[in-house]
Amino acid sequence: MNVHQPRQRLVTLADVAREAGVGESTVSRVLRKHGSFSKGTQDRVAEAVAQLGYVPNRLAGSLAGSATSAGSQLVGIVIPSLTNIVFPELLRGIAGGLDAVGFQSVIAVSDYDAEREEALIGALLSWRPAGLIVTGLEHTPGAVARLRASGVRIVEMIDTDGPGLDIVVGFSNRAVGRVSAGHLLGRGYRRIGFVGHDLDRDLRAGKRLAGFAEALAAAGHPLRDREILAGPSSAAAGREALGRLLARRPDLDAVYFSNDDMALGGYFHCLEAGLSIPGGIALFGYNGLDITAAMPQPLSTVRTPRLRIGEVAAERLGAGGPSETVDLGFELIEGATA
Amino acid sequence: MNVHQPRQRLVTLADVAREAGVGESTVSRVLRKHGSFSKGTQDRVAEAVAQLGYVPNRLAGSLAGSATSAGSQLVGIVIPSLTNIVFPELLRGIAGGLDAVGFQSVIAVSDYDAEREEALIGALLSWRPAGLIVTGLEHTPGAVARLRASGVRIVEMIDTDGPGLDIVVGFSNRAVGRVSAGHLLGRGYRRIGFVGHDLDRDLRAGKRLAGFAEALAAAGHPLRDREILAGPSSAAAGREALGRLLARRPDLDAVYFSNDDMALGGYFHCLEAGLSIPGGIALFGYNGLDITAAMPQPLSTVRTPRLRIGEVAAERLGAGGPSETVDLGFELIEGATA
DNA sequence: ACAGCATTTGGCAGCGCTGCCAATCTGGTT
DNA sequence: AACCAGATTGGCAGCGCTGCCAAATGCTGT
């Protein structure tokens, strides 16, 4: 089946109209519950639709509507990664918010590559989406130009540390870094290190580190050392990086991780090396992944409102308000590791 | 900005044609690198496009092409969840395979609900996608009817235990269960239990358990007990469930988990309860998540070719071959916990 | 210089649907 | 019985693009 057939002609609205013995525009109105029509007509149309197995063609619908109404019912989404569980959670939030209004999402993954993001934005705009949701505030000039010229609602997610193009939904990554530093300092840690991943590409992680280091320096206990592995974050990377860092600086009393995956890896390293936590070494993460709450010692971390960010992003896309920044904040989880 | 404006008229292909001083069809040919045109024309068109900031309207393009060519360059995807990291990985594979051919994916999440899946399939088909990728082999009769009537290529992912509609890409979940049981039996475990999640909804997990229990029974060492928590899989659920199971049946010498998340939770339970692994109790998971390899004792589990499944699914969607089932197999990871 | 062929180009009819407008119908009024 | 507002309906011109076809152009050999 399905082998190079010239694609059978599918049932069209005109077929339904003929079958139901009414005009095309009437069918269109009934199907969209828009305008007025009698109960009898509605029933006859419904029957014809069922009879013929009609599936509306939204390409045609959106194209026709594009002159006057809101364009297609698609929303374009660009995220940097699918590997980091954070992004699927954002997507889940968006999907939830979106299908409340019958929109659907076209998703593209940039792999933390700004050039690629620009290309993807172009590709998504070619579907004349009702709006676009992108990640972060940093984009190539070309991408910004396209977004501006598109005339559609733009939502930038996750980061509020800087000016946005239209709607911004997230929290301050810099503040997360500062608060995390404050917590460690407050607990009396003084010889603090950092374990991270690819900061050149994950710009938010870079901002957190900047805020973190800044707060430490301001308190007079500057960051002692850092171990940064190229490549995406992972438990394996965190484990290896913490091993290296502690081999070099066994005197550290606390380590800040670029995220929970890395921190979990660090935790595994400590288990294996027989280091006591937080007495021997304190660990502090970022994200508040569910898994960290199930650890024998819950991870000390910062929980971010990922799902909510997605929901709000979706919601604002539909709404017609003015441009604005929505800061959803974050929550420090004390945990037992720092 | 962007407040209820009646959507400015965007640049169209006709505008480009006028600017470049050529006909519309010429612009169309140049842009799609289809048919023949001179270098000079190409340059003039390219310049006009850049000049005007033209973004093609794929809604119109797909609609126009739909009469003769393959329909839109969209691919619809239905997955049951975004929470379980497995599905984002599938998506990543699909995205990779798809953008090699310039297709884009519209993603819908069914929440393991068959009725919802049916509705989503309808919604996706209304975009006249080039193909549809769905999860698993079990669908409502209505969903099957729609898929059949759509006339597009259908790929069913992950599970090969049963007949498919068109292309099936995955592995045998039942076989995973059997092989896992074989491994435990081979290692001498005899008093075996199971910890799982929501099997009524996650049908693949149910099939694995069926295969597992069947193999145990065949060997004369039937499954001793099971603890199944409602709701999705998670480390927290695995931890709690293992606690309950062992409280009830402290004599168990091995436990099979519905997946690695659950197993990791079980591992945490053991750490906390001071149970030695695998001497006191052996743990066996499913999925081969990266994180389990970073554990102090790597988890014994079965690694599934998730990324590859996605890639192959995408690849087959484009290809025009006959219907078939592609079994990509799986790999048993010995690990250190069983 | 001219036929013969390949290459390049433009015109235009749809693709299936929606929005606008005019036509028809309904029921109640005067 | 004539009249009117409101409800219901159908016709049809696009939405922006692609595929088909015919026309124009460029080259070659004779």
Side-chain angles (χ1 to χ4, degrees):
Chain A
M1 68 187 285
N2 287 330
V3 188
H4 283 305
Q5 301 165 17
R7 176 176 280 245
Q8 51 197 296
R9 215 183 68 78
L10 297 172
V11 181
T12 70
L13 186 143
D15 298 325
V16 176
R18 204 173 312 117
E19 175 77 17
V22 300
E24 295 186 29
S25 37
T26 301
V27 176
S28 175
R29 272 188 301 258
V30 171
L31 258 28
R32 285 175 301 135
K33 307 191 201 316
H34 179 277
S36 58
F37 45 82
S38 68
K39 183 67 172 63
T41 304
Q42 179 173 28
D43 293 344
R44 262 177 305 142
V45 169
E47 192 186 349
V49 165
Q51 173 73 34
L52 300 174
Y54 172 67
V55 177
N57 183 335
R58 292 227 231 179
L59 293 175
S62 300
L63 179 61
S66 67
T68 39
S69 14
S72 81
Q73 311 215 69
L74 289 174
V75 170
I77 303 175
V78 185
I79 53 175
S81 152
L82 275 168
T83 308
N84 188 333
I85 186 69
V86 168
F87 297 104
E89 285 192 36
L90 280 166
L91 291 182
R92 197 154 63 92
I94 295 172
L98 240 40
D99 69 34
V101 289
F103 281 37
Q104 255 158 353
S105 24
V106 188
I107 296 170
V109 182
S110 73
D111 273 324
Y112 289 106
D113 178 334
E115 298 296 333
R116 211 170 136 54
E117 187 196 48
E118 176 176 337
L120 292 172
I121 286 172
L124 292 176
L125 284 175
S126 72
W127 293 108
R128 294 295 184 268
L132 224 50
I133 300 179
V134 299
T135 308
L137 300 168
E138 288 75 20
H139 315 288
T140 61
V144 171
R146 287 177 186 211
L147 291 173
R148 284 237 157 81
S150 72
V152 300
R153 185 110 250 187
I154 308 294
V155 177
E156 293 166 287
M157 297 186 295
I158 299 193
D159 192 3
T160 60
D161 292 324
L165 291 166
D166 182 8
I167 301 276
V168 177
V169 182
F171 53 86
S172 166
N173 278 271
R174 203 170 277 277
V176 167
R178 282 196 300 267
V179 167
S180 302
H183 176 80
L184 291 178
L185 291 169
R187 290 286 172 107
Y189 301 106
R190 293 294 177 264
R191 302 183 303 283
I192 304 176
F194 175 79
V195 159
H197 65 283
D198 220 355
L199 303 177
D200 297 330
R201 314 233 293 166
D202 187 342
L203 301 174
R204 268 80 60 199
K207 289 182 178 183
R208 290 193 296 276
L209 174 57
F212 185 78
E214 179 190 305
L216 288 190
H221 303 288
L223 192 63
R224 291 285 177 102
D225 197 0
R226 60 178 72 178
E227 176 69 27
I228 294 176
L229 260 51
S233 67
S234 72
R239 176 176 156 159
E240 182 188 337
L242 182 60
R244 287 200 209 170
L245 182 67
L246 291 181
R248 195 161 67 221
R249 306 290 297 244
D251 60 317
L252 294 180
D253 60 5
V255 174
Y256 181 47
F257 290 82
S258 55
N259 69 30
D260 285 354
D261 287 315
M262 302 291 283
L264 185 56
Y267 181 77
F268 286 150
H269 169 81
C270 296
L271 281 188
E272 204 171 1
L275 290 167
S276 80
I277 301 171
I281 182 86
L283 309 178
F284 198 92
Y286 162 77
N287 254 342
L289 299 189
D290 291 344
I291 198 174
T292 61
M295 289 162 59
Q297 297 171 273
L299 185 67
S300 299
T301 187
V302 161
R303 164 163 269 283
T304 53
R306 303 178 289 280
L307 200 71
R308 186 76 194 126
I309 289 176
E311 287 169 357
V312 172
E315 181 185 296
R316 292 301 169 114
L317 249 205
S323 299
E324 70 177 308
T325 292
V326 183
D327 189 334
L328 294 175
F330 53 86
E331 179 193 358
L332 191 138
I333 310 251
E334 299 232 336
T337 63
Chain B
M1 69 188 284
N2 288 332
V3 188
H4 284 306
Q5 303 164 16
R7 176 175 280 247
Q8 51 195 296
R9 215 184 69 77
L10 296 172
V11 180
T12 71
L13 186 144
D15 298 325
V16 175
R18 203 173 312 116
E19 174 77 18
V22 300
E24 295 185 29
S25 37
T26 301
V27 176
S28 174
R29 271 188 302 258
V30 171
L31 258 29
R32 285 174 302 136
K33 307 191 200 318
H34 181 279
S36 57
F37 44 83
S38 67
K39 183 68 171 63
T41 305
Q42 179 173 27
D43 293 342
R44 261 176 308 141
V45 169
E47 192 185 349
V49 166
Q51 174 73 33
L52 301 175
Y54 172 66
V55 176
N57 184 336
R58 292 227 230 180
L59 293 176
S62 299
L63 180 61
S66 67
T68 40
S69 15
S72 80
Q73 313 217 68
L74 289 174
V75 171
I77 303 174
V78 185
I79 53 175
S81 153
L82 274 168
T83 308
N84 187 333
I85 186 68
V86 167
F87 296 105
E89 285 192 36
L90 280 166
L91 290 182
R92 196 154 63 90
I94 296 172
L98 239 42
D99 68 35
V101 288
F103 280 37
Q104 256 160 350
S105 27
V106 187
I107 296 169
V109 182
S110 72
D111 273 323
Y112 289 105
D113 178 335
E115 298 296 331
R116 212 170 132 54
E117 186 195 49
E118 176 176 339
L120 292 172
I121 286 171
L124 291 176
L125 284 174
S126 72
W127 292 108
R128 294 294 184 270
L132 224 50
I133 300 178
V134 300
T135 309
L137 300 168
E138 289 76 19
H139 315 287
T140 62
V144 171
R146 288 178 185 208
L147 291 173
R148 284 236 156 82
S150 72
V152 300
R153 185 110 251 186
I154 308 295
V155 177
E156 293 166 288
M157 295 187 296
I158 298 191
D159 191 4
T160 60
D161 292 323
L165 291 166
D166 183 7
I167 301 275
V168 177
V169 182
F171 53 87
S172 166
N173 278 270
R174 204 170 275 276
V176 168
R178 282 196 300 266
V179 168
S180 302
H183 175 80
L184 291 178
L185 291 169
R187 290 286 171 108
Y189 300 107
R190 293 294 178 265
R191 301 183 305 282
I192 304 176
F194 175 78
V195 159
H197 66 282
D198 219 356
L199 303 177
D200 297 331
R201 313 233 292 166
D202 186 343
L203 300 175
R204 267 81 56 199
K207 289 182 178 182
R208 290 192 295 276
L209 174 56
F212 184 79
E214 179 189 306
L216 288 190
H221 305 288
L223 192 64
R224 292 285 175 102
D225 198 359
R226 60 178 74 179
E227 177 68 28
I228 294 176
L229 261 52
S233 67
S234 72
R239 176 176 156 158
E240 182 187 337
L242 182 60
R244 288 201 208 169
L245 182 65
L246 292 181
R248 196 161 67 221
R249 306 290 298 248
D251 61 317
L252 293 180
D253 59 7
V255 174
Y256 181 46
F257 290 82
S258 56
N259 70 31
D260 285 353
D261 287 314
M262 302 291 283
L264 185 56
Y267 180 77
F268 286 150
H269 168 81
C270 295
L271 281 187
E272 203 171 1
L275 290 168
S276 80
I277 300 172
I281 181 87
L283 309 178
F284 198 92
Y286 162 76
N287 254 343
L289 298 188
D290 292 342
I291 199 174
T292 60
M295 289 162 61
Q297 296 172 275
L299 185 66
S300 299
T301 186
V302 160
R303 164 162 269 281
T304 54
R306 303 178 289 280
L307 201 71
R308 187 74 194 128
I309 290 176
E311 288 170 356
V312 172
E315 181 184 298
R316 291 302 169 111
L317 249 205
S323 299
E324 70 177 307
T325 292
V326 183
D327 189 333
L328 294 175
F330 52 85
E331 180 193 359
L332 191 139
I333 309 247
E334 299 234 334
T337 64

